């Protein structure tokens, strides 16, 4: 066996002249944390420093040194032993064992530093730095090579009580070497050695030979780490497994032995809810439970080197579970009896609880199956009638039984929601709405007694999966979305909204406790999802049942999260920009609860304030004309004093622009140009716009209908106003019937008027007819034009807000 280094020496003041010189102390590549593994198998931080590698005279070899970054003291001095197994993990971690039960780790700040030190270690051991563990590549000694050539296997000491210490040392020394591990495993298999060891175990227990029992613990633990299926089959056989567990009770690191066998034989009881006729299946269930217990409770937490040595144990349990599911699935009599007793009214409550728990564990085991096997599993359950059985169970009074049934239902929904949808639509043709499976699920959600509504949250997630059109199938003959949503809104939606409608009959919620608020928030979350994904089904339901009015009652709740849920529901509706919804909102004055909540919130700058302002800002930016007019006509007086945002003044401006267009339709084309320039968000480059502008036929401009492509980028005012100027001049000539107009001649000799465009606070534009640059002061503006003195849109004469624009 490779020599194990002794425990690390005390920190020495001299380290052979090796260290981190000068600025290297600040080199982050070599910055590391030093960890040691304690008795509880937890990593302890020993400090942060900088690592280096060099020859240390005192240790007679290349060594790793870590000096503390705080004071330069030596945190670690470890010789790179040729036989030590070093392991690199996660690109920045190097782990090794200095001695038995003394594991060390260096955690690097940077991958580059880890790679450098790893190369040094591999160089000393003569290994390729591309490997992640040097242990697998440790060369066997000359003695091992000679053994390999001269004998086919390892010779074990005779299995006697007096030689247990020798056997334990042999097992421990064989584990680091893959070749010796292989030889030891073959020797244990061929000689029936494990059974002989277990016989000695009984002798040691009878004699109360604690030292011998401690040696047996180390031997059996070592055999587990050999990771051999053939050995596990012997150890986990019916005649051996309890004795193996017994050996593992005598851990030398514990002052008292554990009572694992007592727990398995007296406390843990095997309940056969349905008699299992197959003895092999029964034995397999017992074995799997016990092996799982060994893995979870008996074996100590593996060290970083031992984790991969138990992979075969994991696989053993996994394949056992697959085998159990397959054997139960093939036993038709067993499953028939199971579902018959589940749905039989004569079955007592305790028995039914055991049956449901068994079915739940059965479904949990199925998660280990491959996809094709899982398909066959759920198809078998479906054919046996699992959904009708769940419907019966969910209608029972026992809360524990219902909870287990809910878990089973979640497995089915996650696996195949279409199967569940098909079942509930078929049963609707025969049963009343009250006992439909989905309605039972909704009722359990509504009646959840958990103060935190943990069960209700799970059920809401399942309902959401069932009503999600994204996972619905569409075939040539039928569309699942149309059929199922039609069914859901006819038979189930009234059950879902019942708590909402019952609690919103007045101007404020009739019940406003925390649990009720949580439930209503969950219901609103699902309704909001429906608004987004169900189009006309939910639209008809909301408008016909006046759902939005009821939801907005919750804006008066003392629970801010519920009021915000109600606001989010309305915001989702407005976001659709659907005029059917908009007419419904205006007809019922459904902005009133929102405005009330906004005013009641006062000057507080919180989520409610921001969410309400965002809703009105959306209406303004998207220019939803009907809602803009409705808000200003009915709520302007309440909102006109809000000046810390420009949202409401912007809405008023939108409203006035609409009115002006209605009063004077001829201005519509001019306003559309301004609106497109200032509000449209379509991406278009400036070059494309200019090319389109100059390609426009001037005859088109004469009709006052020049088209300006939308853009995020502002154009020169001259580019924007050229056709507007011509249009306004013609209007001026017609209305005033003036005979003389001051003109300015452009470069081409054509005659063209000029205008000034004035902006009020950057939010409103008005056109004021003026004379050209050479006109006399005091020239009158057009009577009745939007910017004339005294008209609602007139602005200040501040020159900083005026832009004189002369047409080309």
């Amino acid at each position: 066996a490779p020599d194990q280094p002794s425990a690390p020496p005390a920190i020495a003041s001299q380290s052979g002249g090796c260290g981190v010189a000068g600025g290297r102390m600040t080199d982050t590549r070599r910055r590391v944390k030093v960890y040691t593994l304690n008795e509880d198998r937890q990593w302890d931080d020993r400090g942060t420093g900088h690592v280096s590698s060099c020859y240390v005279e005192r240790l007679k070899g290349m060594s790793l040194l870590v000096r503390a970054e705080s004071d330069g003291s030596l945190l670690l001095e470890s010789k790179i032993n040729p036989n030590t197994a070093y392991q690199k993990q996660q690109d920045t971690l190097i782990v090794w064992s200095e001695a038995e039960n003394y594991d060390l780790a260096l955690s690097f700040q940077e991958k580059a530093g880890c790679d450098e030190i790893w190369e040094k270690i591999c160089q000393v051991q003569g290994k390729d730095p591309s490997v992640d563990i040097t242990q697998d590549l440790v060369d066997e000694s000359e003695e091992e090579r000679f053994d390999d050539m001269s004998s086919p296997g390892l010779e074990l000491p005779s299995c006697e009580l007096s030689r247990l210490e020798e056997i334990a040392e042999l097992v421990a020394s064989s584990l680091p070497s893959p070749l010796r591990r292989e030889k030891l495993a073959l020797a244990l298999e061929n000689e029936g050695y494990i059974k002989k060891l277990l016989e000695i175990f009984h002798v040691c227990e009878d004699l109360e030979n604690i030292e011998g029992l401690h040696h047996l613990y180390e031997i059996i633990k070592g055999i587990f780490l050999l990771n051999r299926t053939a050995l596990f089959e012997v150890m986990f056989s019916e005649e051996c497994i309890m004795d193996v567990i017994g050996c593992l009770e005598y851990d030398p690191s514990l002052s008292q032995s554990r009572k694992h066998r007592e727990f398995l034989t007296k406390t843990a009881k095997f309940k056969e809810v349905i008699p299992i006729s197959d003895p092999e299946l029964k034995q397999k269930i017992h074995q799997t439970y016990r092996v799982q217990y060994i893995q979870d409770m008996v074996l100590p937490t593996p060290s970083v080197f031992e984790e991969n040595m138990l992979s075969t144990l994991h696989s053993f349990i996994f394949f056992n579970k697959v085998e159990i599911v397959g054997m139960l699935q093939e036993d038709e009599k067993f499953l028939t009896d199971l579902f018959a007793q589940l749905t039989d009214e004569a079955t007592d409550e305790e028995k039914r609880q055991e049956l449901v728990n068994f079915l739940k564990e059965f479904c949990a085991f199925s998660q280990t199956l491959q996809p094709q096997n899982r398909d066959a599993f759920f198809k078998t359950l479906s054919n046996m009638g699992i959904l009708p059985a769940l419907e019966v169970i969910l209608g029972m009074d026992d809360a524990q039984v219902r909870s287990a049934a809910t878990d089973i239902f979640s497995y089915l929904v996650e696996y195949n929601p279409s199967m569940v949808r098909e079942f509930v639509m078929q049963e609707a043709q025969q049963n009343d709405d009250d006992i439909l499976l989905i309605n039972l699920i909704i009722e359990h959600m509504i009646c959840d007694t958990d103060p935190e509504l943990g069960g209700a949250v799970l059920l809401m997630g399942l309902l959401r999966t069932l009503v999600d059109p994204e996972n619905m199938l569409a075939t040539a003959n039928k569309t699942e979305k149309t059929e199922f949503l039609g069914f859901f809104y006819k038979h189930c939606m009234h059950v879902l909204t019942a708590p909402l409608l019952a609690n919103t009959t007045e101007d404020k919620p009739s019940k406003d406790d925390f649990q009720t608020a949580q439930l209503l928030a969950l219901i609103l979350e699902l309704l909001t999802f429906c608004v987004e994904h169900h189009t006309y089904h939910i639209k008809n339901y909301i408008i016909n049942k006046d759902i939005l009015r009821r939801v907005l009652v919750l804006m008066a709740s003392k629970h801010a999260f519920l009021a915000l849920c109600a606001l989010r529901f309305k915001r989702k509706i407005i976001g659709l920009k659907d005029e059917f919804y908009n007419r419904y909102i205006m007809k019922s004055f459904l902005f009133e609860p929102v405005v009330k909540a906004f005013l009641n919130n006062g000057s507080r700058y919180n989520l409610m304030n921001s969410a309400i302002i965002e809703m009105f800002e959306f209406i303004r930016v998207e220019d939803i004309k009907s809602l803009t007019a409705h808000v200003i006509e009915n709520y302007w007086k309440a909102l006109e004093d809000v000046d810390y945002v420009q949202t409401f003044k912007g809405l008023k401006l939108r409203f006035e622009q609409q009115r002006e267009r209605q009063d004077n339709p001829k201005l519509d084309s001019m306003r559309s140009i301004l609106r497109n320039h200032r509000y449209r968000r379509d991406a278009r480059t400036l070059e494309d716009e200019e090319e389109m502008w100059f390609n426009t036929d001037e005859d088109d401009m004469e009709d006052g209908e020049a088209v300006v492509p939308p853009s995020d980028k502002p154009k020169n005012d001259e580019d924007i106003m050229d056709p507007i100027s011509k249009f306004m001049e013609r209007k001026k000539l017609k209305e005033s019937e003036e005979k003389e107009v001051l003109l300015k001649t452009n470069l081409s000799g054509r005659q063209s008027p000029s205008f000034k465009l004035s902006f009020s606070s950057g939010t409103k534009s008005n056109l004021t007819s003026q004379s050209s640059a050479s006109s006399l002061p005091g020239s009158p503006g057009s009577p009745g034009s939007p910017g004339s003195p005294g008209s609602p849109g007139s602005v200040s004469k501040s020159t900083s807000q005026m832009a004189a624009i002369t047409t080309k």
Side-chain angles (χ1 to χ4, degrees):
D3 294 333
Q4 291 293 328
S6 58
I11 294 174
S13 59
Q14 298 295 324
S15 61
C18 177
V20 184
R24 294 293 297 279
M25 287 297 286
T26 59
D27 185 358
T28 58
R29 284 186 311 160
R30 296 291 186 91
R31 192 166 184 263
V32 295
K33 273 186 179 293
V34 180
Y35 291 95
T36 58
L37 199 65
N38 62 26
E39 291 180 356
D40 298 326
R41 314 304 293 169
Q42 301 295 319
W43 289 104
D44 290 335
D45 185 352
R46 295 301 185 188
T48 303
H50 291 78
V51 65
S52 61
S53 63
C54 63
Y55 185 84
V56 177
E57 184 66 34
R58 186 172 53 80
L59 298 178
K60 306 294 183 189
M62 290 294 292
S63 303
L64 297 177
L65 289 90
V66 179
R67 292 193 176 276
E69 66 179 359
S70 56
D71 56 8
S73 62
L74 202 58
L75 294 178
L76 175 71
E77 185 179 57
S78 172
K79 180 181 176 182
I80 303 174
N81 193 304
N83 297 320
T84 298
Y86 291 85
Q87 187 173 4
K88 185 167 75 164
Q89 300 176 356
Q90 303 169 9
D91 290 335
T92 57
L93 202 64
I94 295 177
V95 185
W96 72 99
S97 285
E98 283 282 283
E100 190 173 357
N101 297 325
Y102 190 71
D103 290 1
L104 283 162
L106 293 180
S107 177
F108 289 76
Q109 181 171 327
E110 295 184 13
K111 178 179 181 297
C114 184
D115 291 343
E116 284 180 20
I117 296 299
W118 184 249
E119 285 177 15
K120 293 284 187 184
I121 293 169
C122 292
Q123 184 180 342
V124 171
Q125 295 197 344
K127 306 302 175 203
D128 184 350
S130 63
V131 302
D132 286 336
I133 181 168
T134 60
Q135 174 180 295
D136 290 339
L137 300 176
V138 173
D139 288 331
E140 291 75 32
S141 66
E142 292 299 321
E143 182 184 349
E144 285 179 325
R145 288 179 182 171
F146 178 75
D147 288 345
D148 188 32
M149 291 183 288
S150 61
S151 63
L154 190 73
E155 187 175 342
L156 293 168
S158 58
C159 196
E160 298 171 5
L161 179 59
S162 59
R163 303 191 72 175
L164 283 178
E165 184 175 2
E166 186 182 345
I167 299 168
E169 288 177 358
L170 175 65
V171 172
S173 66
S174 299
L175 290 175
S177 165
L179 177 62
R180 290 178 67 84
R181 243 188 359 247
E182 186 74 19
K183 288 182 178 182
L184 176 61
L186 288 171
L188 290 169
E189 288 173 39
N190 297 336
E191 298 179 23
Y193 211 78
I194 292 174
K195 290 184 180 178
K196 295 175 185 176
L197 287 170
L198 296 178
E199 288 172 7
I200 296 179
F201 166 71
H202 287 290
V203 174
C204 287
E205 273 208 315
D206 292 341
L207 297 174
E208 296 184 358
N209 184 340
I210 301 301
E211 185 182 356
L213 291 169
H214 285 170
H215 289 316
L216 282 165
Y217 170 90
E218 297 292 352
I219 293 167
I220 295 297
K221 180 189 169 189
I223 294 174
F224 268 96
L225 297 178
L226 292 176
N227 215 20
R228 294 281 290 210
T229 304
L231 295 178
F232 286 156
E233 286 174 356
V234 175
M235 296 165 74
F236 299 152
S237 64
E238 187 72 23
E239 58 180 317
C240 294
I241 189 165
M242 295 307 287
D243 290 338
V244 168
I245 293 171
C247 290
L248 293 171
E249 289 180 353
Y250 295 95
D251 186 345
S253 63
L254 301 176
S255 57
Q256 284 188 329
S257 63
R258 298 294 175 88
K259 306 293 183 185
H260 295 304
R261 287 172 294 173
E262 185 178 319
F263 172 82
L264 288 171
T265 54
K266 296 180 181 177
T267 308
K269 298 290 183 183
F270 177 66
K271 294 182 179 178
E272 232 174 316
V273 290
I274 301 288
I276 297 174
S277 55
D278 186 347
E280 185 186 351
L281 172 58
K282 193 183 294 188
Q283 190 273 330
K284 189 71 70 177
I285 292 170
H286 283 298
Q287 183 190 59
T288 305
Y289 175 78
R290 289 166 179 168
V291 176
Q292 186 87 58
Y293 182 82
I294 290 173
Q295 183 191 41
D296 296 341
M297 303 300 297
V298 180
L299 285 176
T301 306
S303 73
V304 287
F305 293 115
E306 295 169 347
E307 282 178 1
N308 293 331
M309 293 182 179
L310 293 174
S311 58
T312 307
L313 182 62
H314 300 312
S315 300
F316 188 94
I317 295 169
F318 174 86
F319 288 115
N320 262 19
K321 288 182 177 180
V322 171
E323 209 171 328
I324 290 169
V325 171
M327 293 168 80
L328 285 172
Q329 199 175 323
E330 292 166 7
D331 191 340
E332 289 190 13
K333 182 181 183 304
F334 178 86
L335 291 177
T336 305
D337 291 348
L338 172 67
F339 286 107
Q341 289 192 37
L342 268 175
T343 54
D344 188 353
E345 293 182 5
T347 306
D348 64 75
E349 289 187 4
E350 186 178 351
K351 177 73 170 176
R352 182 174 281 109
Q353 186 175 337
E354 290 173 358
L355 290 164
V356 174
N357 285 335
F358 170 80
L359 187 55
K360 175 184 169 182
E361 192 168 357
F362 192 30
C363 290
F365 269 36
S366 73
Q367 301 305 298
T368 63
L369 298 176
Q370 295 296 316
Q372 62 271 23
N373 295 337
R374 201 180 309 149
D375 288 347
F377 171 79
F378 280 111
K379 195 168 186 180
T380 301
L381 291 188
S382 179
N383 294 338
M384 298 302 298
I386 189 169
L387 285 166
L390 284 178
E391 197 168 44
V392 172
I393 299 165
L394 287 167
M396 294 176 178
D397 296 330
D398 191 316
Q400 286 185 314
V401 169
R402 289 204 311 264
S403 174
T406 301
D407 290 337
I408 297 168
F409 182 68
S410 71
Y411 283 120
L412 295 171
V413 171
E414 288 167 14
Y415 163 70
N416 191 347
S418 290
M419 179 180 77
V420 178
R421 284 192 281 260
E422 187 178 356
F423 169 77
V424 295
M425 284 192 286
Q426 287 174 354
E427 68 164 350
Q429 300 167 6
Q430 301 152 357
N431 298 335
D432 296 332
D433 287 358
D434 293 343
I435 59 172
L436 294 180
L437 179 58
I438 290 192
N439 286 346
L440 288 171
I441 293 294
I442 295 172
E443 285 169 16
H444 288 314
M445 182 193 80
I446 292 169
C447 302
D448 188 4
T449 54
D450 178 7
E452 297 297 326
L453 295 188
V457 172
L458 169 65
L459 293 172
M460 181 60 72
L462 297 177
L463 284 173
R464 182 170 175 154
T465 302
L466 287 173
V467 300
D468 187 354
E470 293 295 322
N471 60 44
M472 294 184 185
L473 305 173
T475 62
N477 301 325
K478 63 173 185 176
T479 305
E480 186 180 21
K481 176 180 176 181
T482 305
E483 290 188 3
F484 181 74
L485 291 183
F487 155 81
F488 183 79
Y489 280 87
K490 182 178 179 181
H491 297 282
C492 308
M493 186 58 97
H494 66 280
V495 182
L496 178 66
T497 56
L500 171 68
L501 298 176
N503 208 38
T504 54
T505 52
E506 307 295 333
D507 291 339
K508 61 181 183 179
S510 52
K511 282 182 70 179
D512 204 17
D513 59 280
F514 179 70
Q515 194 162 351
T516 303
Q518 272 194 310
L519 175 63
L520 294 177
L522 278 177
I523 293 171
L524 279 178
E525 187 180 332
L526 186 59
L527 289 177
T528 306
F529 177 83
C530 293
V531 166
E532 187 174 4
H533 293 91
H534 290 177
T535 59
Y536 66 90
H537 288 97
I538 188 70
K539 186 195 302 181
N540 291 340
Y541 189 81
I542 288 174
I543 294 174
N544 292 336
K545 301 290 184 183
D546 200 15
I547 294 294
L548 182 55
R549 173 187 291 283
R550 297 299 196 90
V551 167
L552 291 174
V553 169
L554 302 177
M555 293 285 292
S557 170
K558 66 183 180 184
H559 299 286
F561 70 88
L562 181 58
L564 287 165
C565 280
L567 183 63
R568 186 160 57 246
F569 179 70
K570 179 170 182 175
R571 173 65 176 81
K572 186 65 72 176
I573 288 174
I574 290 174
L576 297 175
K577 298 192 284 189
D578 186 316
E579 279 304 312
F580 283 99
Y581 277 131
N582 293 347
R583 284 196 290 273
Y584 162 59
I585 290 170
M586 293 185 295
K587 183 180 177 182
S588 302
F589 293 92
L590 295 182
F591 275 102
E592 186 173 324
V594 178
V595 174
K596 270 187 184 176
F598 182 70
L599 297 176
N600 290 339
N601 192 59
S603 59
R604 282 175 292 177
Y605 179 52
N606 53 19
L607 192 54
M608 177 65 73
N609 174 276
S610 299
I612 293 174
I613 289 174
E614 190 278 333
M615 178 189 291
F616 286 111
E617 181 68 11
F618 177 82
I619 294 170
R620 185 191 73 79
V621 169
E622 295 297 325
D623 197 13
I624 306 175
K625 296 180 177 58
S626 54
L627 295 184
T628 299
H630 175 75
V631 169
I632 296 302
E633 287 171 355
N634 294 283
Y635 308 106
W636 172 243
K637 287 189 177 179
L639 301 171
E640 63 179 336
D641 293 332
V642 179
D643 56 5
Y644 53 86
V645 289
Q646 296 302 308
T647 296
F648 301 108
K649 287 182 170 53
L651 270 177
K652 181 74 161 34
L653 176 61
R654 287 281 196 201
F655 174 68
E656 289 174 353
Q657 289 172 342
Q658 290 173 28
R659 292 289 292 271
E660 287 172 7
R661 284 198 293 273
Q662 290 168 3
D663 294 345
N664 199 341
K666 292 180 181 179
L667 290 175
D668 197 42
S669 63
M670 176 197 70
R671 294 293 188 191
S672 69
I673 292 169
L674 282 176
R675 183 175 68 255
N676 283 339
H677 167 59
R678 298 178 58 206
Y679 294 106
R680 289 290 293 273
R681 304 298 178 98
D682 302 331
R684 181 78 69 89
T685 64
L686 185 61
E687 290 76 17
D688 291 340
E689 293 168 11
E690 288 177 344
E691 183 179 351
M692 195 167 175
W693 176 271
F694 288 114
N695 288 340
T696 305
D697 193 331
E698 293 208 6
D699 291 337
D700 295 337
M701 294 184 183
E702 290 301 313
D703 294 332
E705 296 178 352
V707 178
V708 179
S711 172
D712 285 339
K713 299 182 182 180
K715 293 186 285 290
N716 295 331
D717 290 340
E718 292 185 8
D719 291 340
I720 300 166
M721 292 306 302
D722 190 27
I724 302 175
S725 304
K726 295 177 182 178
F727 173 81
M728 287 302 296
E729 179 58 20
R730 289 197 302 276
K731 177 174 173 57
K732 172 185 167 184
L733 290 173
K734 288 179 183 177
E735 291 182 352
S736 64
E737 296 182 352
E738 291 178 351
K739 295 181 181 179
E740 292 183 5
V741 178
L742 294 171
L743 302 173
K744 181 179 179 181
T745 304
N746 61 11
L747 293 174
S748 64
R750 292 175 55 195
Q751 293 180 330
S752 171
S754 65
F755 293 88
K756 284 190 176 180
L757 173 65
S758 59
F759 293 97
S760 173
S761 302
T763 58
K764 181 171 179 179
S765 58
N766 296 285
L767 295 171
T768 306
S769 177
Q770 299 255 341
S771 63
S772 68
S774 60
S775 64
L776 297 172
S779 295
S782 302
S785 66
S788 299
S791 68
S794 61
V795 298
S796 71
K797 298 178 181 178
S798 170
T799 55
S800 64
Q801 294 177 328
M802 305 290 282
I805 299 167
T806 305
T807 57
K808 296 178 182 177

